[in-house]
Amino acid sequence: MIDLYYWTTPNGHKITIFLEEAQLEYKLLPVNISAGQQFEPSFLAISPNNRIPAIVDRRPASGQEPISVFESGAILLYLAEKSGRFLSIEPRERIDALQWVFWQVAGLGPMLGQNHHFLQYAPEKIPYAIDRYAAETKRLYAVLDRRLEGRSFIAGSYSIADVACYPWVVPHARQGIALELYPNVARWFDTVGQRPAVVRSYELAARVNSAPVVSASSREILFGQSDATVRRGEAAQHKQ
Ligand SMILES: N[C@@H](CCC(=O)N[C@@H](CS)C(=O)NCC(=O)O)C(=O)O
């Protein structure tokens, strides 16, 4: 049984998609990041970066102590290895998929996140920041588009590389992206979006939370963090 600490965001969707695809047994533990639940000591003990997603595998293959994992890329790798699904064991195909998973967690996710921030949420419109992240977003979509030319999926057959990237392409309109300008991404996006496990994951998300993650009341929680936030979390953990 996998405990999944989850909220309804792209990084959260990656893991529900994998778990639904692989049909692993899991228990969903919502962490409402708009309400500050990511700072609860019990969650910080599993996810020291105060971010979802995180998992606890109550039945690791070793048969020993439960294993906890944070960072969506590490979780996808862990689950792929545990289940033997969506990551080839053939070395060339395996590293091909993994390099695109790393590309997603180090590039596509953070850059599109900054794009969102400056385009949608920043209290002042800063043209330099908006333009910088809009251009980088378009560059990354173009990289993905070139990669998908003549390919059905990002790396060989459907893999954790597709699972990692898909949820970040879902909000393409809010990123200022016209998907028709990236026809290979658009075709891939349609194919992945029709997979029953992907459909189930987004239905599940709608049942867990239908409110926007970023609202007037959650802005300070999400955008007001600093080293003091981490120190407060640490102090709360020590009190426990
Ligand atoms: N690199 C991390 C990023 C995770 C992340 O940014 N999670 C966001 C939701 S998508 C979060 O938990 N935010 C809570 C906060 O900002 O306090 C991963 O890939 O897991």
Side-chain angles (χ1 to χ4, degrees):
M1 168 71 87
I2 305 285
D3 289 350
L4 170 61
Y5 293 82
Y6 163 87
W7 199 238
T8 53
T9 70
N11 290 314
H13 300 318
K14 291 176 194 172
I15 313 304
T16 45
I17 290 174
F18 187 98
L19 290 164
E20 289 291 330
E21 291 282 11
Q23 301 197 323
L24 290 177
E25 209 187 337
Y26 68 101
K27 182 163 94 186
L28 200 108
L29 299 161
V31 178
N32 185 343
I33 62 170
S34 311
Q37 292 177 352
Q38 67 273 43
F39 304 113
E40 284 178 11
S42 56
F43 179 65
L44 289 175
I46 295 161
S47 186
N49 196 33
N50 66 260
R51 300 280 189 270
I52 64 93
I55 61 163
V56 177
D57 181 357
R58 303 250 156 236
R59 287 217 197 124
S62 61
Q64 291 169 355
E65 297 282 284
I67 293 178
S68 70
V69 189
F70 71 100
E71 279 294 324
S72 61
I75 297 169
L76 288 176
L77 177 57
Y78 179 85
L79 293 175
E81 288 182 338
K82 179 182 174 73
S83 63
R85 304 288 311 277
F86 308 115
L87 182 63
S88 174
I89 52 166
E90 194 280 312
R92 189 179 294 265
E93 208 177 308
R94 185 179 184 85
I95 195 62
D96 202 18
L98 285 175
Q99 70 188 348
W100 285 96
V101 171
F102 277 72
W103 175 81
Q104 188 288 310
V105 292
L108 191 74
M111 293 300 129
L112 273 46
Q114 294 302 324
N115 170 323
H116 255 143
H117 183 83
F118 287 106
L119 198 58
Q120 310 285 347
Y121 307 131
E124 10 159 5
K125 296 285 168 228
I126 306 164
Y128 180 87
I130 292 173
D131 294 348
R132 154 117 184 93
Y133 291 111
E136 180 61 3
T137 297
K138 288 180 185 159
R139 189 188 72 80
L140 290 162
Y141 269 82
V143 170
L144 187 57
D145 200 58
R146 278 184 59 196
R147 174 64 187 182
L148 285 165
E149 196 169 335
R151 288 188 166 87
S152 301
F153 298 108
I154 295 172
S157 46
Y158 181 69
S159 74
I160 56 172
D162 303 288
V163 173
C165 291
Y166 175 82
W168 282 96
V169 177
V170 171
H172 54 87
R174 283 171 62 75
Q175 297 155 4
I177 286 292
L179 211 54
E180 64 275 14
L181 299 181
Y182 308 90
N184 300 307
V185 177
R187 172 185 39 78
W188 163 88
F189 181 69
D190 277 350
T191 307
V192 176
Q194 284 171 29
R195 293 180 68 90
V198 174
V199 174
R200 283 200 302 279
S201 301
Y202 282 86
E203 286 171 353
L204 175 65
R207 288 199 297 276
V208 173
N209 172 43
S210 55
V213 172
V214 179
S215 60
S217 62
S218 66
R219 271 169 192 263
E220 181 53 26
I221 293 169
L222 293 168
F223 304 146
Q225 299 178 23
S226 70
D227 54 343
T229 319
V230 178
R231 298 213 172 94
R232 269 198 304 277
E234 198 185 3
Q237 274 185 287
H238 281 311
K239 263 199 211 150
Q240 290 246 312

